[in-house]
Amino acid sequence: MLLWILLANFVTKAFSCGYPGSPSHSIVTFNTETVQTGTVATYRCDPGFDLLGPIRRLCVENGTWIPIGIPVCVMNVAAGKAAMQSSIFSKGVPQKAVDGTTSRTYGSDTCTLTEVEDTPWWYVNLLEPFLVQLVRVDFGRSCCANGVPATVIVRVGNSRPDLSANPICNRFSGKIEEGRPLFFPCTSTVTGAFVSVHVETPTQFSLSICETFVYTDQVVPVEQCPEFDQEAATVATYNGKCYLFYSSNPRTLDSATKFCALQGGSLIHDTSPALQGFLSWELYKRHRKNPGSDYWNGVIRKNGSKDWKWVDGKDVTISFWSHPPKEGNCSRFDGKNGWLWSDTDCLNEFNYICEHRPAICGKPERPVNSTLMVRANTVGSTIEYQCNPGHLLLGPSTRTCQPTGFFSEFAPKCSYLECGFPANIPNGGYSLVNGTKHFQSIVQYFCQESYILVGQPELMCDADRKWDGPPPRCDPLLCHNPPSIKHGNVTVTVNTTVPGTTAEYVCENNFKLIGEAVISCDSTGFWTSKPPTCELDKEKLYNARIEGKHKRNRASIAARLNMGGIIALGIFGGFVFLAVIISIVVIIVRRNSNSQDSLDSLSTYESQGSREKLYQRQCWPGHPGSLHPSVLPPPDDPDHRKGNSDRHREPSTSTQYHLRHHQHGNSHRDSDISLETTASTPRWCKKHEKRSGY
């Protein structure tokens, strides 16, 4: 249910009708409090203006008003003005086309008529230039026979001698029907005092016009003129000025001048051919039956002077005297002489005309789908225009009420504009503010997480129906390089500082880290905290100094201990080396001695071929083998088995003696050997000697 309500509100908002628009000098009323589907707008014009176009319009479902087109409130400025035509036939004078009456059929009392001509024409003098918006012509006779089309051209301009030189308001080609009006809206902005109608046909034609209407909204209605209660006056407007005609209380020239000044105006003090024609026409309409009612016109001269001046002191450059002035020093509009000028005595009493500026401006035009803020419509006040969302204001946004009774410049227009859908961007997206993409709508771009938007985040739909810039892009979000710190180093986990990257800080020796040692690059492109600082670690430096002193002391003691150890080790090594040398010498000596004995024994054994001889040689006095106790007796000797161990454990006296006196000279060698042999002869040798008889 809620969804349907929201959808209904959206549809109502999306397709509701805007303001239908209203012309100047009009009032628009609605049959509902708010404009919605089914609302009826009713138009009404201010007094003196005619409504041309639809009186009512309906708001339909698609958000538009029907029928299409805004009506206009205009005033016919041709009525009663002077008219001329190419020729006159059968009382068909040109004035009948602006007498305020029309007919659906030709009548000689209401319609003009020219002679049969090739290109007949008719024109009206508006007496002042007007911005003509529409011309309506009611023809009195049809044209042309046998279905031959006629061409009707309407011109507006300020050239009277050559009407064909004036700009074309519009033209029509086709059949002209009796009593049927033709409308000629001016296709361009044309301003002029002369409006002419030209008819071109293949054959000659007699032009008949029952009534001509020249419409414009650029006219000051009498309702904008000031009103006074002191005396009754009739009002007419011309060229942005109000003219009040006082005819009930005649005054002298001086009294009339003072009265107009007290009312905020002035006695007439200017003229021109157009103004003279306007005033003559207005006086004629008011006094057709009483042409003897004269009016002061504000022209004076000094006694005996021929120079005429206006009451405000300006020179009279253009005059409209009915006859040469005589003795009078003042001037009046003379009704008996076609309202031309005549001189008169200044003390006479006549009617008078006061000239005023409009007090206010008329109701301004309000364009379709716009808002109009009117604070006041007095002279000098300002109004302001604003267009509905999605519409471009073409024209001025403000207008000022001028002394002429018109607002400055022309009313603006509101044109609906819409841009296409915005462009998509990689790694991002967009959202339409208020869900619209019409004129001045905003689109907002955004990026996904860990990406940063580069370019304009917002674009607006511009007057060229395009977004006012290129779409942005989404780049990977990077933090700035981590700041370096004094007396420290920083390392980053990866080469690029994307979100999630960490930076680790380390201080130099003898410095301590104050703050977080590790900071991270977050998803917003900033480091999670400020970088740390490195401050001198005084405690560590003190401990390092103490530790260094202790190390130096230990090194000194160790050095002394090492020197003593080296000396002791050297001495010990010397003794060991000496012992090794001595041991080696002893081993070598013994090895050489044993080797020689073994060689001699082996040689004797092999040469004799028997063990007996070997034993004999060993027991032979002076034999080298008897000198060495290591020579064993034969293995089969019983004494060997019994006393071998004793002999080896206790060397003989001769052997010990030999060792002690081994160093004696060669002179004692023989005696030593003899003693040694005698003392060391084994028992088995002695036994053998006895057995053998030696």
Side-chain angles (χ1 to χ4, degrees), residues 306-495:
K306 295 182 179 180
D307 297 330
W308 292 87
K309 294 181 180 294
W310 294 100
V311 290
D312 62 355
K314 294 180 181 179
D315 293 334
V316 175
T317 57
I318 300 176
S319 60
F320 299 93
W321 298 103
S322 60
H323 53 77
K326 296 180 180 179
E327 297 179 356
N329 292 327
C330 292
S331 176
R332 72 185 190 279
F333 291 106
D334 189 351
K336 294 180 180 180
N337 290 299
W339 303 104
L340 297 177
W341 298 0
S342 296
D343 63 318
T344 185
D345 192 330
C346 296
L347 296 179
N348 291 331
E349 293 183 348
F350 296 109
N351 299 325
Y352 50 94
I353 304 171
C354 292
E355 178 183 312
H356 291 267
R357 287 289 186 181
I360 60 174
C361 289
K363 295 182 180 66
E365 178 182 354
R366 180 178 173 182
V368 179
N369 296 312
S370 70
T371 300
L372 177 61
M373 291 176 285
V374 180
R375 299 174 181 84
N377 61 344
T378 56
V379 174
S381 62
T382 301
I383 60 175
E384 183 178 355
Y385 291 90
Q386 292 181 352
C387 290
N388 292 352
H391 293 76
L392 172 65
L393 185 72
L394 302 176
S397 60
T398 59
R399 300 172 70 192
T400 303
C401 179
Q402 298 177 321
T404 58
F406 300 105
F407 283 98
S408 60
E409 303 181 83
F410 293 103
K413 293 183 179 180
C414 293
S415 177
Y416 181 76
L417 303 176
E418 186 173 87
C419 294
F421 284 100
N424 291 312
I425 58 174
N427 303 311
Y430 67 83
S431 62
L432 293 171
V433 179
N434 299 327
T436 60
K437 51 187 177 64
H438 53 58
F439 176 63
Q440 290 186 334
S441 293
I442 301 296
V443 56
Q444 292 180 340
Y445 282 91
F446 58 87
C447 290
Q448 298 174 1
E449 188 176 359
S450 300
Y451 287 87
I452 186 172
L453 195 72
V454 179
Q456 290 181 264
E458 293 184 351
L459 299 178
M460 184 179 69
C461 180
D462 214 340
D464 58 356
R465 301 175 188 268
K466 297 180 181 179
W467 299 99
D468 64 347
R473 68 178 188 272
C474 292
D475 289 349
L477 185 63
L478 300 177
C479 292
H480 293 292
N481 290 330
S484 59
I485 59 175
K486 191 175 182 180
H487 303 296
N489 298 314
V490 58
T491 57
V492 183
T493 54
V494 293
N495 293 332

Side-chain angles (χ1 to χ4, degrees), residues 25-46:
H25 311 292
S26 71
I27 298 175
V28 181
T29 57
F30 302 95
N31 64 338
T32 58
E33 293 183 0
T34 59
V35 176
Q36 56 190 358
T37 301
T39 298
V40 176
T42 303
Y43 293 86
R44 186 177 73 254
C45 292
D46 292 339

Side-chain angles (χ1 to χ4, degrees), residues 41-269:
T42 303
Y43 293 86
R44 186 177 73 254
C45 292
D46 292 339
F49 290 88
D50 298 327
L51 182 69
L52 299 181
I55 298 176
R56 296 178 181 85
R57 301 176 70 199
L58 175 66
C59 175
V60 294
E61 293 180 354
N62 62 357
T64 60
W65 293 91
I66 57 172
I68 299 174
I70 304 172
V72 292
C73 291
V74 291
M75 183 179 290
N76 178 21
V77 294
K81 302 295 176 63
M84 292 291 291
Q85 63 187 28
S86 57
S87 62
I88 299 175
F89 180 78
S90 183
K91 300 181 181 181
V93 296
Q95 195 64 36
K96 293 180 179 180
V98 289
D99 60 359
T101 61
T102 186
S103 175
R104 297 185 65 86
T105 59
Y106 172 77
S108 59
D109 55 343
T110 59
C111 301
T112 68
L113 186 63
T114 67
E115 295 180 353
V116 177
E117 303 177 50
D118 290 332
T119 55
W121 52 264
W122 174 95
Y123 81 84
V124 61
N125 182 1
L126 303 178
L127 302 179
E128 63 174 306
F130 284 100
L131 176 64
V132 178
Q133 295 166 290
L134 177 69
V135 176
R136 169 185 168 182
V137 180
D138 296 349
F139 288 96
R141 286 190 174 182
S142 301
C143 181
C144 295
N146 301 323
V148 177
T151 300
V152 181
I153 301 174
V154 175
R155 295 178 180 270
V156 177
N158 293 312
S159 176
R160 182 174 63 175
D162 185 9
L163 296 174
S164 61
N166 290 330
I168 295 177
C169 166
N170 211 328
R171 67 198 307 159
F172 166 81
S173 294
K175 184 179 181 180
I176 299 175
E177 297 181 8
E178 181 181 357
R180 179 182 177 182
L182 289 179
F183 293 89
F184 298 86
C186 293
T187 57
S188 60
T189 302
V190 288
T191 302
F194 298 95
V195 178
S196 59
V197 179
H198 307 260
V199 179
E200 298 176 356
T201 61
T203 59
Q204 291 185 335
F205 172 68
S206 179
L207 175 61
S208 175
I209 300 176
C210 295
E211 194 69 22
T212 300
F213 303 85
V214 179
Y215 291 112
T216 180
D217 61 357
Q218 297 296 305
V219 61
V220 178
V222 295
E223 288 76 15
Q224 294 178 218
C225 296
E227 296 180 358
F228 306 103
D229 298 333
Q230 290 87 344
E231 295 184 19
T234 58
V235 184
T237 61
Y238 171 79
N239 198 23
K241 294 181 181 180
C242 298
Y243 294 89
L244 278 64
F245 296 82
Y246 292 93
S247 59
S248 61
N249 186 18
R251 295 173 181 267
T252 63
L253 178 65
D254 184 62
S255 176
T257 302
K258 291 180 179 179
F259 177 83
C260 290
L262 289 174
Q263 302 297 325
S266 62
L267 196 67
I268 291 178
H269 56 275

Side-chain angles (χ1 to χ4, degrees), residues 614-636:
L614 176 60
Y615 298 149
Q616 292 176 359
R617 293 182 63 182
Q618 290 178 344
C619 295
W620 190 267
H623 190 275
S626 62
L627 298 177
H628 205 286
S630 62
V631 178
L632 298 176
D636 55 352

